Structure formats: structure tokens, C-alpha cells
């Protein structure tokens, strides 16, 4: 009897410790669920479930209104690839726009970051000024710039006779294309600037001082030291601008509406018109799935290439 009592007490203490550990683990799980659960629920409801519903509707002939949903298999995709030249025209416009917008936006954003990373007294004010266009909604921004292109530039052109301001900015396919690029770059460059500034502030100043002592000029320092060290920022900015440029909708809609003669119609506007104007929700969903695959390929390839450059650097 005397030997069994300590054993029972030890077993009891061990059970209590196991129970306490389980309680702590359960509390951690509940804490994580309380923080992550609502976000995960909203993500499922707003993103994942509609995405899979879109995949399903892309194989149907649903008009978006009727309760009758007819399964048509791959007919929608066949129709797109064989009898929808406007969709591919909009894809060509969006791809050209993406390349131009990504290059210009990042050049401007990086240049502003280099400028405002210097010891300027007004740099905080200038950062705010350059970032403000990013907080303006695309629809409002489009209408503002539409007035500038149509009325403002025309008035300046009449006063100065400068050819640049006398161009039919939104009335010609070429100038309308560059007009959208200009407005997009003006809106998004401030956002890219903030990311580049954060990366530049993480560069070790001792490296820059050592390069200066060794006789490196400003261009050599930028090319050989600064850019390799902030390549992760380029990866992020390229990814964001590619995705934003591909998905352009509100700015394009309010600025040109896809005109003139659908020459500046983005893929997003084409999908919107197909689904909600023509009431071909099944075809519109199929176009959206194709669009998703193309954007995913572009962004994945871009991230892979820039990540490899980071490793090499």
C-alpha cells in the first residue's frame, strides 16, 4: 500500500500536466481561429466560391437572369476561339497597354523614389503629393482626365499652337492608347514610389560610402549596388503593375469607354459587356477563365524571372 500511493500521485500529476497542455493548445487554436476565421470566411465567400461558380457557369448557356441553366460543355470556349475576334483584339490592346504601363509606371516610381530618398526638406510633402492620385477612384480620375484631354489640352493648344496639345487625344486610336497609359502611370506611380522608397531606406549606407571612396560614380553605384540590393522591391512592383494593368476597367471605362470604335477596349470591359450587356453570362464566364489563366501565366513567369535575378545578385 505504501508503494502504490506515490505512483498514483505521480500519475495524477502527469494527467494534470497533459490536461493543462491540451487546454493551452486548445486556447491557441481558438485564438488563431478568432483572428483568421472571419478573414478566411470572407475570402471563401467573396473569392473562392464565386471563382468555382464562374468555372461552372463557363460550361453553361446561362443568361445571368433565368433560373434555367443549360449545360453546353466546351461550346462557349469553342465560340470564343473561333468566332470572337473582338475578344482577341481587346486582349492585344490590353497586352500592349500592360507592357507600356508597367515600364513607364516603374520608371517614374523608381525615379521619384531616388529623388525623394535624398535629404530634401520638402520630401515628406512631395511624397504625399505624388501618392494622392492613387487614392482617387478610377472612375472619377477618368472623368477628370477626360475633361483635361478634351477641354484643357484644346484650350492650351489654341493659346500656344503647340502640336502636342492639339492632338485628338481621345478621338484617335493611337493617342487614346497613350492617353490611358499616361493616366494609369500618373495614378499608380506614387504607389510604386512608396515601395521603392522603403527598399532604398533598407540599403546599408556604409556600402554606398565605400563605393564613393573607391571612385564609383552615381550611375555605377546605382547599377552595381543599389539596384541589386533592392531587386525584391522590383519583383513586387512588377507583379502589382502587371496585375493592375491587365485588370484595368474603371479608368478605361470612364476615359474612353473602349472607343473610338472599340480600339481601346480592355479585356475586362469586353467581359463585362458580354456578361451584363449581351446577357451571355456563360460566355462571359468562359472569357474570364481564359483571362485568369493568361494573367496567372504572365505574373508567374515574371516572378520566376525576377526571383532568379535576386538569387544571382
Amino acid at each position: 500500500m505504501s508503494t502504490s500511493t506515490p505512483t498514483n500521485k505521480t500519475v495524477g500529476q502527469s494527467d494534470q500536466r497533459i490536461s493543462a497542455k491540451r487546454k493551452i493548445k486548445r486556447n491557441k487554436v481558438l485564438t488563431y481561429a478568432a483572428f483568421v476565421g472571419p478573414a478566411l470566411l470572407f475570402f471563401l465567400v467573396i473569392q473562392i466560391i464565386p471563382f468555382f461558380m464562374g468555372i461552372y457557369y463557363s460550361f453553361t448557356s446561362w443568361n445571368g437572369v433565368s433560373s434555367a441553366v443549360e449545360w453546353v460543355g466546351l461550346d462557349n470556349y469553342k465560340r470564343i476561339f473561333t468566332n470572337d475576334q473582338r475578344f482577341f483584339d481587346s486582349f492585344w490592346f490590353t497586352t500592349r497597354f500592360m507592357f507600356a504601363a508597367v515600364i513607364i509606371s516603374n520608371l517614374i516610381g523608381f525615379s521619384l523614389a531616388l529623388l525623394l530618398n535624398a535629404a530634401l526638406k520638402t520630401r515628406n510633402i512631395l511624397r504625399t503629393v505624388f501618392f494622392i492620385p492613387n487614392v482617387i477612384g478610377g472612375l472619377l480620375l477618368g472623368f477628370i482626365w477626360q475633361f483635361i484631354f478634351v477641354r484643357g489640352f484644346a484650350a492650351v493648344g489654341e493659346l500656344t499652337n503647340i502640336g502636342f496639345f492639339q492632338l485628338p487625344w481621345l478621338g484617335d486610336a493611337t493617342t487614346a492608347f497613350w492617353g490611358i497609359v499616361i493616366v494609369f502611370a500618373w495614378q499608380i506611380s506614387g504607389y510604386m514610389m512608396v515601395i521603392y522608397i522603403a527598399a532604398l531606406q533598407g540599403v546599408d549606407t556604409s556600402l554606398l560610402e565605400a563605393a564613393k571612396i573607391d571612385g564609383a560614380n552615381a550611375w555605377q553605384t546605382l547599377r552595381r549596388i543599389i539596384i541589386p540590393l533592392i531587386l525584391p522591391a522590383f519583383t513586387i512592383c512588377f507583379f502589382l503593375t502587371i496585375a493592375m494593368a491587365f485588370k484595368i476597367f474603371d479608368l478605361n471605362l470612364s476615359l474612353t469607354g473602349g472607343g473610338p470604335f472599340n480600339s481601346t477596349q480592355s479585356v475586362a470591359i469586353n467581359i463585362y459587356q458580354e456578361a451584363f450587356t449581351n446577357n451571355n453570362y456563360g460566355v462571359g464566364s468562359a472569357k474570364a477563365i481564359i483571362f485568369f489563366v493568361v494573367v496567372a501565366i504572365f505574373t508567374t513567369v515574371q516572378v520566376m524571372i525576377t526571383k532568379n535575378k535576386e538569387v544571382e545578385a
Side-chain angles (χ1 to χ4, degrees):
M1 293 295 291
S2 60
T3 58
S4 62
T5 304
T7 303
N8 293 335
K9 186 182 294 184
T10 304
V11 171
Q13 292 174 349
S14 178
D15 291 340
Q16 289 178 356
R17 285 195 295 269
I18 293 173
S19 177
K21 288 181 179 179
R22 288 177 178 174
K23 186 176 180 180
I24 294 171
K25 186 176 181 180
R26 185 172 63 250
N27 289 338
K28 286 184 177 180
V29 171
L30 291 175
T31 302
Y32 293 150
F35 283 100
V36 179
L40 181 61
L41 177 63
F42 279 107
F43 181 73
L44 287 172
V45 173
I46 297 173
Q47 296 286 344
I48 302 300
I49 295 176
F51 175 74
F52 284 104
M53 289 178 65
I55 294 176
Y56 166 73
Y57 285 126
S58 70
F59 296 103
T60 69
S61 62
W62 187 41
N63 60 8
V65 179
S66 174
S67 59
V69 180
E70 181 182 356
W71 181 268
V72 296
L74 296 174
D75 288 352
N76 291 332
Y77 293 93
K78 292 177 181 178
R79 171 183 169 183
I80 293 169
F81 284 104
T82 59
N83 193 29
D84 199 335
Q85 185 59 39
R86 182 175 292 181
F87 177 66
F88 290 98
D89 290 341
S90 66
F91 234 120
W92 174 236
F93 164 79
T94 307
T95 304
R96 290 187 294 117
F97 169 79
M98 182 272 296
F99 279 110
V102 167
I103 294 171
I104 295 174
S105 298
N106 282 279
L107 278 176
I108 296 175
F110 184 59
S111 300
L112 292 175
L114 288 174
L115 175 65
L116 299 183
N117 193 51
L120 298 176
K121 292 182 179 180
T122 58
R123 60 183 179 180
N124 291 330
I125 297 175
L126 291 175
R127 288 175 187 178
T128 304
V129 170
F130 290 135
F131 185 77
I132 282 176
N134 187 69
V135 302
I136 303 175
L139 283 172
L140 179 60
L141 200 63
F143 287 124
I144 292 172
W145 273 91
Q146 185 185 65
F147 176 82
I148 293 173
F149 281 129
V150 176
R151 300 291 182 86
F153 278 19
V156 174
E158 289 179 3
L159 293 174
T160 61
N161 288 323
I162 298 176
F164 177 83
F165 296 104
Q166 294 176 336
L167 294 173
W169 276 99
L170 301 182
D172 179 74
T174 303
T175 53
F177 170 84
W178 288 109
I180 299 173
V181 171
I182 290 170
V183 179
F184 179 87
W186 183 77
Q187 180 188 26
I188 211 67
S189 294
Y191 187 30
M192 300 303 107
M193 175 197 69
V194 172
I195 298 175
Y196 285 127
I197 287 176
L200 288 171
Q201 290 179 344
V203 176
D204 190 353
T205 56
S206 63
L207 295 174
L208 304 180
E209 293 172 358
K212 187 176 181 180
I213 293 172
D214 290 338
N217 57 35
W219 169 247
Q220 290 173 331
T221 302
L222 176 65
R223 183 184 175 189
R224 299 294 184 182
I225 298 177
I226 295 177
I227 291 179
L229 288 175
I230 65 168
L231 277 177
F234 282 97
T235 300
I236 296 170
C237 289
F238 283 154
F239 175 83
L240 291 174
T241 48
I242 287 173
M244 291 176 184
F246 260 124
K247 296 186 296 183
I248 184 173
F249 176 77
D250 49 0
L251 187 64
N252 189 195
L253 182 66
S254 58
L255 198 59
T256 65
F261 306 108
N262 297 313
S263 60
T264 63
Q265 185 184 77
S266 66
V267 178
I269 290 181
N270 183 273
I271 293 171
Y272 174 83
Q273 290 181 348
E274 188 71 60
F276 301 106
T277 303
N278 301 336
N279 289 330
N280 293 327
Y281 198 89
V283 178
S285 297
K287 290 182 177 182
I289 298 303
I290 296 171
F291 185 42
F292 167 78
V293 172
V294 172
V295 174
I297 292 172
F298 265 91
T299 52
T300 302
V301 171
Q302 173 264 314
V303 170
M304 290 174 61
I305 292 173
T306 51
K307 280 292 182 182
N308 289 334
K309 293 292 183 181
E310 290 178 27
V311 173
E312 291 176 5

